Amino acid sequence: MLDIKDFAIFENHSHFDFKGFLLKIVGYWKWFLISLIITFTIAYQINVRKEKIYGMQTMISIKEESNPFFTSNTSLVFNWGGVSDQVNGISTILQSRSHNELVVDKLQFYIDYLEQGKYNLIDSYGAVPFYVDIDKTKGQLVNTLISVKFLSENEYEIRIPFEVNSVSLITYSDNSYNNTAVQPIMFIKKYKVGERVNLPFLNWKIQITDNPGFYKGKEYFIRFNDFDGTVSRYRGVNVDSGKNNGSLLTLSMQGTNKARMVDYLNATVRMLIKIQLDGKNQFATNTIRFIDSTLVAMESQLKQTGNELKSFQKDKKIYEIEDGGSRVSDKIMNFDVEKDQVTRKIAYYNSLRSYLNSSDDYSRLPAPSVAGIEDPNVVANVSKLIALSTQRSEMAYAVKSEKIFKDFDNQMAAVKNVLQENIVTAKAALIYDLSLLNAKIGQAESTVKKLPAEQQELLKIKRKYDLNDNIYTEFLQKRNEAEIVRASNLSDIHFIDPAKDIGGGLIGPKTSMNYILALFIGILIPLLFILVIFFINNSIQNTEDITKLTQIPLLGVIGLNVNSSSLAVFEKPKSALSESFRAIRSSLQFLYKKQQLTGSKTLMITSSISGEGKTFCSINIATVFALSEKKTVIVGLDLRKPRLADEFQLKTPLGVVNYLIKQNSLEEITNSTAIPNLDVILSGPIPPNPSELILSDGMRELIDELKQKYDYIILDTPPVGLVADSLELVQFADVTLYIVRQNYTKKDMITLLNTRLKRGELSNVSIVLNGYENKAKYGSGYGYGYGYGAYSNGYHEEDIKEGFWKAFVNRIRKS
């Protein structure tokens, strides 16, 4: 039945060993050094290959400018709806696709001017000695580097590496694409500066700038880019309205070429000023366009009536009308002028009503003043409708929100409804006025009928001529008025600080940040790797691990054997490794004395699994006893996997198995060695039943016979964690040494050892830590010469580690 103490939880629970982890980090300093060298090298290569990033900006103000020539009669001022609305609208326009298309097209920024730098191609816009004058109606080779090398000041050579049979072309007049066939060769051709290049894939003319400098023999590169892709890049202009002053806007850009950014920022503001001023002049422009079309018709009518009047007066010899007729003529003339004004107003209202019902674009409406309409409600609503229509069309390419467009449509619909009501009311009044004027004209014409027939005819022709002349003069006056308003309009947008390269402006790359990142990554990678090893590795690392896991005493620490031979004490008796075995010998003698043992003494050496140095420790512990002139024997009881024969280079097949089966005597199986006072008994042939042989009476007879002959009997037993043979040999041992190998023996094996000890399966057990190496790498501890540094000089022979290849070959040979 199992004992409850088999399941006991030991006092020491696993926890994070910060001190051990810190010492492990120090031990892996080479990893950190290599990692930092790699990361800093990468950071340096990135920094030297990155182009410098600059930031440029310009500042503009928005102030609503009133026209000094604005009068209530003209009402030609375009209303933007106040400064706050303008700021939001301008910010939207500056980032709109339609606006940036105009700027990119004007500057031809879809053309790249490049030079070969140390590591990559550099944007040399503004620094190249030439510019390209392209034919926008013809195709240009797109997304391909075109080499331009100046052979002299007036001659250059084009080089284009064609790799396929067809290339893509772009026509910038309509931004369309097509393909053309080419030969997959290096195209090379020479041209004169200023000469028109007409090729199936290239249509340009290179012109030299005003101050080109020295450029003979230099090579440059031209690249034509996709127009829409170029526009998309420049739509990223940052627009900041600031917090304190809402009427100021700061436009900024980041890039590698300061000249290109300066030109673009200034050009985008100038384009904005032009668009805003054109919008502001829209009323005047519409009015002038309407008047010009009317004047053409009026001029023809005036010329016709003038010729008719001259012809009538010449044929009839009538040059004057009697005073009474003259007064009547003047009276009718005034009535005709008034009637024309009313008729024009009614015609304008009819036209306006038809336009509102049939069109959605109201930006081309002429001013009401062109028809003499001064109704403030009509004038204000027409102005507002034009403003909303223009603003909506400007936002069509920049805003994707249907809600914003619906808001504009709702506002325009409301204005349209008000205008429709204004038209109905105004027309009713005008029709009434027109009926009164017709009555007055009828009365005046009845008086004219009393005059002679020829005078009546003359009065009729002169009446028509004077009316046309009056209307023509009035339209000329209104046209001049509209021209004055348009010429005197001021833009609401003003430059405060135009973009300018005054030096500086460098904002990147952040080389210091790259180095800081390299330092962080260079430390983090090995640190994480060590952390993973620290937590995954469940093996014994130092003496503290042993003392935390068990109460079994630690008898000694054995350093790492750097030589190929296992006879470390015999071959180098003054080494620190030999001293560690002598320390174990002293501790063993203390244990024997404590047990009050006399005569021959036995020592069983075992371990958890194979490879922990059990045989190595058996040989060297036996050697230190033998060198102290004590008759010592090593008994190879690992019947399943014997190794003693190889270590002592013994060829005899006889061993313990032969004695146990009564085949040979003790003298026959005993082998002397080159070490004085040390004999070795091998295990012999591998038996089919090793456990049964160890349990036989012959084993007790063997031990009793050895005690009569030797002072110390060292039992080299199989691993207790793998087979039960060692447990059967405990009864013959005065002391048991349990070998634990650094960075090899698992901590679970110590737990199993505790269980066996509590069960009584093992007794008089002590632990030896074998293979101890660098204490900084594996934690604190002592190594009998490995931890004393310079103080051990002169006391021990220095252990010279084998070279890498020699150790590698010896390890293979051992295997």
Side-chain angles (χ1 to χ4, degrees), residues 80-150:
W80 276 61
V83 172
S84 61
D85 289 341
Q86 287 194 60
V87 171
N88 295 330
I90 288 172
S91 298
T92 303
I93 291 172
L94 285 169
Q95 294 177 322
S96 68
R97 182 174 63 83
S98 57
H99 173 80
N100 286 281
E101 280 181 351
L102 296 174
V103 181
V104 169
D105 183 64
K106 180 178 177 60
L107 296 175
Q108 295 189 358
F109 269 16
Y110 42 78
I111 304 176
D112 285 343
Y113 298 88
L114 307 167
E115 284 185 90
Q116 181 62 53
K118 185 176 181 181
Y119 298 104
N120 44 35
L121 290 173
I122 300 172
D123 182 4
S124 296
Y125 172 86
V128 294
F130 66 95
Y131 63 92
V132 176
D133 179 14
I134 67 169
D135 186 347
K136 292 185 179 182
T137 63
K138 297 181 180 179
Q140 310 291 345
L141 184 63
V142 68
N143 294 329
T144 301
L145 284 177
I146 304 170
S147 171
V148 176
K149 185 174 183 179
F150 285 92

Side-chain angles (χ1 to χ4, degrees), residues 248-390:
L248 295 180
L249 286 180
T250 301
L251 281 63
S252 59
M253 292 181 70
Q254 295 182 4
T256 59
N257 188 291
K258 293 195 283 185
R260 186 182 289 274
M261 290 187 290
V262 166
D263 286 354
Y264 195 86
L265 287 173
N266 291 333
T268 195
V269 174
R270 292 192 186 99
M271 184 64 68
L272 181 67
I273 292 173
K274 180 181 181 301
I275 292 173
Q276 195 263 351
L277 195 55
D278 288 345
K280 210 171 187 183
N281 290 331
Q282 190 69 47
F283 244 178
T285 302
N286 293 351
T287 301
I288 292 170
R289 186 186 300 114
F290 177 81
I291 291 174
D292 286 342
S293 62
T294 304
L295 285 176
V296 172
M298 292 302 301
E299 188 175 1
S300 176
Q301 293 179 16
L302 185 61
K303 185 177 181 180
Q304 182 180 351
T305 54
N307 292 333
E308 187 178 348
L309 181 61
K310 288 179 182 180
S311 176
F312 182 83
Q313 289 177 336
K314 181 179 180 182
D315 294 340
K316 304 298 182 182
K317 305 296 183 180
I318 299 176
Y319 298 100
E320 295 181 359
I321 300 176
E322 295 178 356
D323 291 341
S326 178
R327 286 194 298 272
V328 173
S329 176
D330 292 340
K331 189 176 181 180
I332 293 176
M333 179 63 192
N334 292 332
F335 288 151
D336 285 339
V337 171
E338 290 182 31
K339 180 180 178 180
D340 177 74
Q341 291 176 350
V342 172
T343 304
R344 274 192 285 125
K345 291 178 181 179
I346 293 173
Y348 180 85
Y349 281 131
N350 290 333
S351 176
L352 178 61
R353 186 171 188 175
S354 175
Y355 201 90
L356 292 176
N357 292 331
S358 62
S359 178
D360 294 327
D361 182 12
Y362 312 110
S363 61
R364 299 177 69 85
L365 282 174
S369 60
V370 76
I373 298 173
E374 299 175 4
D375 186 340
N377 293 326
V378 175
V379 171
N381 286 326
V382 170
S383 174
K384 189 173 183 180
L385 193 60
I386 293 176
L388 290 171
S389 182
T390 304

Side-chain angles (χ1 to χ4, degrees), residues 15 39 47 130 252 279 308 331 337 430 451 482 495 519 582 615 622 701 748:
H15 65 281
T39 55
N47 287 339
F130 66 95
S252 59
E308 187 178 348
K331 189 176 181 180
V337 171
L430 289 172
L451 296 174
F495 267 117
L519 177 64
R582 291 189 181 98
T615 301
E701 295 173 3
D748 295 340

